[in-house]
Amino acid sequence: QVQLVESGGGSVQAGGSLRLSCEASGYTWSNYYCMGWFRQAPGKAREGVAKIYTRGGSTYFVDSVKGRFTISQDNAKNTVYLQMNSVKPEDAAMYYCAAGSSTAGGRCPDPFFRVWGQGTQVTVSS
């Protein structure tokens, strides 16, 4: 059974850093060409924050986190990371890890993500 388990969430001061981890199990890592981090704050829609095409390593970031967040993968550990730097109060949300397929061109559209973790909460104090 496919399972994604997030960790690393917690409370951080504005301007600080946090690293989220997502460990995948129950399937072959290479079966899913896209891994991503999504977030949802209360009263807001879920948004894709960062995605990585696992076959080629290309990445995507939502504009609001560009230059502050990075996404990376460790194939040996079946783990994807989200490094959050210069965290802002508006980054506070429940963060979800997800896995999905890609387009033929190596893109990772939101609807292609089919496997989801339970989420890890990030709170930001100003």
Side-chain angles (χ1 to χ4, degrees):
Q1 187 161 350
V2 177
Q3 193 171 21
L4 299 176
V5 178
E6 303 99 333
S7 61
S11 182
V12 60
Q13 281 195 326
S17 298
L18 206 61
R19 189 177 80 156
L20 307 183
S21 300
C22 171
E23 183 175 0
S25 63
Y27 69 96
T28 302
W29 179 254
S30 59
N31 285 354
Y32 290 92
Y33 292 177
C34 293
M35 296 295 294
W37 288 94
F38 294 74
R39 67 185 179 189
Q40 187 166 23
K44 294 188 177 181
R46 186 176 64 193
E47 68 172 346
V49 175
K51 305 170 193 176
I52 186 166
Y53 177 57
T54 61
R55 295 298 296 269
S58 59
T59 57
Y60 159 86
F61 298 93
V62 68
D63 286 346
S64 59
V65 308
K66 284 180 180 176
R68 300 189 296 119
F69 290 11
T70 58
I71 185 171
S72 60
Q73 61 186 77
D74 185 332
N75 292 339
K77 296 182 179 180
N78 274 12
T79 299
V80 64
Y81 303 97
L82 181 69
Q83 179 66 45
M84 306 168 60
N85 297 328
S86 302
V87 173
K88 301 178 179 181
E90 52 264 41
D91 293 323
M94 183 71 81
Y95 282 72
Y96 299 92
C97 175
S101 54
S102 70
T103 66
R107 294 182 179 272
C108 302
D110 285 2
F112 282 36
F113 286 86
R114 301 298 179 88
V115 181
W116 295 85
Q118 293 300 306
T120 186
Q121 183 71 43
V122 173
T123 58
V124 183
S125 57
S126 55

